[in-house]
C-alpha cells in the first residue's frame, strides 16, 4: 500500500482512496421553535462512513423528525419541528481507510419568549425617576451588592448611573479580570437624575475561596442589619468589632439594607467553588431571618450565550440563559422569579437602549421588593 498526503491517492489492491478533506463544512444555525434545521457538508471523496454527534454523544433520533442523508460526496442532517432539546453542538465525522475528518456547528433554538420586558427606555426611566418615599422612617432604599470577585458588582453601579445620568459613568472603580477583589472599602452610591433618586447602592468586597480570603460573611450580615457605615475597610481576617468607629450600634430601619442583590456571572456558574457558594447561602439565610428580600442579578449574559451576545433583546428566548437561571436557583436557593439576567457596560462606548431596558427592568423589580419590605417593617414597629 502506498500512502501519500493532500489530494494524492492512496492506492490499494481494490480501489483508489483520497485523504479526506472538506470542500464545504457545517455552518452555525439559529432557528425558532418549530422551524427546520438543516446541516450539510461536502467532502472530496465518496464511499465514506458517516456518523453524527450532538454535544459529543450519539444523537437520539426520532422517526420523521431526524433525517440523515448521504449522497455521493454530500452528507446532511435535517431536523424538523425544532425544539429546545435540539440546541447544541453538532459534529459530523467521516471515515475511510485513509483516515478520518470532522467538522462542527452550533445550533441555537430560540424559545418562545417566557418573560417579557418593556423595551421602552424613556418610559421606564421616567417612571423610576419619579419614585418618592412616603415613609417617615425611610427616605431612600438601600441595596447591597454581594457576590464573587469579578462578578460585576461595581459594574452594575456604573451601568445604573450611566442609564439615569444619560452619559457613560465610571464612578465606581472596576478591576480587570482577577481572582482578588478590587473593592476594599464599604462604599455607597446615590443615583441622580434631575435631583437625587431615592436609591442607594452599597458596594462590597468580593467573595473568595478560603476562610481568610475575601469579604467576611459576618461583615455582610452586619451590613444587612445596618451596623456598618460608609468608609469601613473590609478585613478578610477579622470581622468588624463593636468598638470600630464604622460600627453603628443603634441602627434603625433607614440604616438597614432593604434588598440583598446577589451578583453571579452567568458564564461561571458551573465553576463556582463550594466555599464561595456556602458563604453566599449563609448570608442568604441571614437575610431570610431578617425578612430582607433577596434577588440575583445574573451578569455576563453575553459571554454565557451566543444568542444573547448577538442581541440582548433575545434574553428571554435563550435556552442557555434559562438553564443558567435554574442552576443559579439550585445553588443559592433563590426562586427563578427572583433571578434577573442583566448586561453591564464594559466594552461599549455608546449607550445601548436594550442594555438599559434590561437593567431598568431588574432595578424596577428590586425597588418593588425593597419598598414592600420597608412598608412591612414600618407597620410592624408602630
Amino acid at each position: 500500500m502506498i500512502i501519500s498526503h493532500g489530494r494524492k491517492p492512496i492506492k490499494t489492491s481494490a480501489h483508489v482512496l483520497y485523504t479526506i478533506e472538506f470542500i464545504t463544512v457545517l455552518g452555525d444555525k439559529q432557528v425558532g421553535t418549530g422551524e427546520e434545521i438543516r446541516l450539510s457538508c461536502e467532502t472530496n471523496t465518496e464511499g465514506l462512513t458517516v456518523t453524527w454527534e450532538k454535544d459529543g454523544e450519539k444523537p437520539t433520533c426520532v422517526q420523521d423528525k431526524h433525517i440523515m442523508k448521504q449522497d455521493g460526496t454530500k452528507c446532511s442532517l435535517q431536523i424538523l419541528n425544532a425544539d429546545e432539546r435540539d440546541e447544541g453542538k453538532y459534529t459530523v465525522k467521516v471515515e475511510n481507510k485513509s483516515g478520518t475528518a470532522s467538522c462542527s456547528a452550533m445550533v441555537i433554538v430560540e424559545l418562545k419568549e417566557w418573560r417579557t420586558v418593556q423595551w421602552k427606555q424613556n418610559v421606564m426611566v421616567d417612571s423610576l425617576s419619579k419614585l418618592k418615599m412616603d415613609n417617615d422612617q425611610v427616605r431612600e432604599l438601600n441595596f447591597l451588592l454581594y457576590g464573587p470577585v469579578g462578578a460585576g458588582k461595581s459594574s452594575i453601579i456604573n451601568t445604573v448611573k450611566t442609564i439615569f445620568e444619560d452619559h457613560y459613568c465610571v464612578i465606581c472603580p472596576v478591576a480587570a479580570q482577577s481572582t482578588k477583589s478590587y473593592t476594599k472599602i464599604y462604599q455607597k452610591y446615590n443615583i441622580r437624575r434631575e435631583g437625587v433618586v431615592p436609591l442607594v447602592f452599597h458596594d462590597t468586597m468580593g467573595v473568595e475561596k478560603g476562610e481568610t480570603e475575601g469579604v467576611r460573611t459576618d461583615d455582610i450580615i452586619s451590613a444587612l442589619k445596618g451596623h456598618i457605615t460608609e468608609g469601613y475597610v473590609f478585613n478578610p481576617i477579622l470581622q468588624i468589632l463593636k468598638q470600630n468607629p464604622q460600627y453603628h450600634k443603634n441602627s434603625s430601619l433607614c440604616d438597614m439594607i432593604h434588598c440583598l442583590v446577589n451578583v453571579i456571572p452567568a458564564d461561571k456558574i458551573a465553576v463556582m467553588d463550594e466555599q464561595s457558594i456556602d458563604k453566599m447561602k449563609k448570608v442568604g439565610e441571614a437575610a431570610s431571618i431578617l425578612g430582607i428580600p433577596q434577588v440575583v442579578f445574573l451578569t455576563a449574559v453575553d459571554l454565557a450565550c451566543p444568542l444573547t451576545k448577538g442581541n440582548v433583546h433575545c434574553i428571554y428566548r435563550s435556552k442557555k440563559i434559562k438553564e443558567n437561571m435554574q442552576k443559579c436557583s439550585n445553588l443559592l436557593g433563590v426562586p427563578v422569579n427572583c433571578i434577573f439576567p442583566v448586561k453591564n457596560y464594559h466594552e461599549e462606548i455608546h449607550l445601548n437602549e436594550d442594555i438599559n431596558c434590561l437593567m431598568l427592568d431588574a432595578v424596577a423589580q428590586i425597588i418593588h421588593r425593597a419598598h414592600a419590605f420597608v412598608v412591612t417593617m414600618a407597620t410592624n414597629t408602630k
Side-chain angles (χ1 to χ4, degrees):
M1 179 183 293
I2 302 173
I3 300 179
S4 59
H5 301 282
R7 288 284 298 160
K8 294 181 180 180
I10 297 175
K11 296 181 180 180
T12 69
S13 57
H15 52 274
V16 177
L17 299 176
Y18 288 93
T19 301
I20 305 169
E21 296 176 356
F22 283 102
I23 298 174
T24 60
V25 296
L26 302 180
D28 293 342
K29 301 290 181 181
Q30 182 175 316
V31 301
T33 302
E35 295 181 355
E36 175 188 308
I37 302 168
R38 184 181 291 273
L39 300 169
S40 62
C41 61
E42 184 176 2
T43 63
N44 63 335
T45 185
E46 300 181 2
L48 300 173
T49 300
V50 179
T51 56
W52 289 86
E53 290 183 354
K54 176 178 176 290
D55 296 329
E57 298 179 356
K58 184 178 179 180
T60 301
C61 294
V62 178
Q63 188 175 2
D64 298 327
K65 176 178 171 71
H66 298 82
I67 304 169
M68 298 179 185
K69 291 184 179 180
Q70 185 175 354
D71 182 14
T73 59
K74 299 178 180 179
C75 52
S76 64
L77 170 62
Q78 182 182 11
I79 305 174
L80 305 177
N81 193 26
D83 59 43
E84 60 182 279
R85 294 170 296 181
D86 297 314
E87 182 168 300
K89 181 180 179 181
Y90 287 80
T91 300
V92 61
K93 294 184 177 181
V94 292
E95 181 180 6
N96 65 13
K97 292 184 178 180
S98 72
T100 62
S102 66
C103 62
S104 301
M106 187 67 195
V107 171
I108 297 174
V109 180
E110 290 187 34
L111 308 182
K112 292 181 180 179
E113 193 171 46
W114 47 276
R115 188 188 284 181
T116 58
V117 174
Q118 184 182 21
W119 301 99
K120 296 180 180 179
Q121 178 181 330
N122 290 338
V123 174
M124 298 173 78
V125 170
D126 289 345
S127 176
L128 297 179
S129 297
K130 294 174 183 177
L131 175 67
K132 301 294 182 184
M133 297 301 296
D134 54 4
N135 188 286
D136 293 336
Q137 298 183 52
V138 178
R139 295 300 180 187
E140 54 192 18
L141 296 175
N142 294 319
F143 303 96
L144 185 140
L145 301 174
Y146 173 62
V149 173
K153 300 180 293 297
S154 301
S155 293
I156 285 174
I157 296 171
N158 289 333
T159 299
V160 173
K161 289 183 71 67
T162 292
I163 296 168
F164 278 90
E165 299 177 18
D166 202 28
H167 64 87
Y168 195 74
C169 292
V170 187
I171 199 73
C172 186
V174 178
Q177 289 295 324
S178 172
T179 58
K180 295 295 180 182
S181 181
Y182 187 88
T183 301
K184 307 293 185 184
I185 300 174
Y186 190 55
Q187 191 79 27
K188 72 176 186 178
Y189 296 87
N190 293 92
I191 305 301
R192 299 180 181 276
R193 185 180 181 85
E194 299 177 357
V196 180
V197 183
L199 309 176
V200 179
F201 288 85
H202 298 255
D203 200 13
T204 62
M205 188 179 195
V207 179
E208 297 181 35
K209 181 180 180 181
E211 291 298 322
T212 58
E213 301 293 336
V215 67
R216 290 188 64 84
T217 301
D218 294 330
D219 279 350
I220 295 298
I221 295 173
S222 292
L224 292 177
K225 297 176 180 178
H227 290 315
I228 298 183
T229 60
E230 184 178 19
Y232 171 66
V233 180
F234 291 107
N235 185 339
I237 299 175
L238 182 67
Q239 70 185 76
I240 190 170
L241 302 176
K242 292 184 178 181
Q243 57 266 36
N244 191 301
Q246 264 76 48
Y247 188 91
H248 184 34
K249 296 179 182 179
N250 301 314
S251 63
S252 63
L253 181 57
C254 67
D255 304 308
M256 291 183 66
I257 295 301
H258 306 131
C259 183
L260 169 64
V261 182
N262 297 286
V263 183
I264 301 291
D267 62 327
K268 295 178 181 176
I269 292 175
V271 296
M272 283 186 62
D273 63 273
E274 290 187 9
Q275 281 188 314
S276 294
I277 294 169
D278 288 342
K279 288 180 180 181
M280 296 190 70
K281 289 172 72 174
K282 186 176 180 180
V283 168
E285 290 168 1
S288 295
I289 293 171
L290 294 168
I292 298 174
Q294 54 185 306
V295 301
V296 176
F297 275 16
L298 201 62
T299 59
V301 292
D302 53 324
L303 301 180
C305 172
L307 176 63
T308 303
K309 184 175 183 178
N311 185 1
V312 178
H313 221 290
C314 298
I315 191 81
Y316 292 123
R317 295 200 294 270
S318 166
K319 176 190 174 186
K320 190 71 174 177
I321 295 302
K322 191 174 184 180
E323 288 177 342
N324 282 351
M325 290 172 68
Q326 187 60 61
K327 289 177 183 177
C328 186
S329 175
N330 295 340
L331 281 179
L332 298 182
V334 177
V336 172
N337 62 5
C338 293
I339 299 175
F340 306 100
V342 297
K343 183 182 185 306
N344 289 320
Y345 284 106
H346 59 95
E347 60 182 16
E348 296 81 5
I349 59 174
H350 299 292
L351 302 191
N352 180 292
E353 185 169 5
D354 286 344
I355 292 175
N356 294 351
C357 287
L358 192 62
M359 181 62 78
L360 287 168
D361 183 70
V363 170
Q365 295 293 334
I366 63 174
I367 288 174
H368 171 73
R369 287 163 169 78
H371 188 264
F373 169 72
V374 167
V375 171
T376 300
M377 292 293 289
T379 301
N380 292 342
T381 57
K382 285 183 179 180

